[in-house]
Amino acid sequence: MAEGILAQLSNASAAEEFFALLGVDYDPGLVNVARLHILRRMGQYLAGEDFTGATDAVVAERCKAVLERAYADFVASSPIDQRVFKVLKDAVAPQPKPGPTLVQIGTLK
């Protein structure tokens, strides 16, 4: 029995395998720079999908569309602009304003 597309994707170990399994064309240079970002964004988009009752062919087409959408995000802008990882989001998060400095009376002379 052939393995379903979701099982094949869960066994993939490189971004290029995702593109090959789903038949999505890509620029190797872009994937080399943004591979983790693309896959993370794909995962974010897939989290909103419900495959209940869908045939494997339908699941494969929806996964392909999701990967194409995630890839397109990084064709249009950079990983820094997209900020899919917490560390990049935190890098631009507003820093809390420092409160007043507390000086204890006993330390004053």
Side-chain angles (χ1 to χ4, degrees):
M1 183 173 149
E3 194 175 24
I5 190 64
L6 291 177
Q8 291 177 50
L9 291 172
S10 71
N11 290 327
S13 61
E16 291 82 357
E17 290 180 61
F18 283 80
F19 284 92
L21 285 168
L22 296 171
V24 175
D25 292 330
Y26 65 94
D27 172 7
L30 177 62
V31 170
N32 282 335
V33 171
R35 71 180 58 247
L36 295 176
H37 303 273
I38 293 167
L39 294 179
R40 172 70 176 228
R41 179 60 54 85
M42 180 186 180
Q44 291 171 338
Y45 291 154
L46 282 175
E49 293 285 327
D50 181 10
F51 297 125
T52 306
T55 65
D56 197 55
V58 169
V59 171
E61 279 304 310
R62 286 168 61 188
C63 286
K64 178 179 181 178
V66 165
L67 178 57
E68 289 172 335
R69 181 177 167 202
Y71 177 74
D73 289 347
F74 295 94
V75 169
S77 65
S78 72
I80 297 294
D81 294 334
Q82 291 293 319
R83 300 186 192 284
V84 295
F85 290 103
K86 183 179 182 328
V87 68
L88 295 176
K89 289 177 187 173
D90 290 350
V92 295
Q95 299 300 317
K97 293 181 182 176
T101 303
L102 178 64
V103 177
Q104 294 189 4
I105 297 285
T107 61
L108 298 175
K109 292 186 181 188

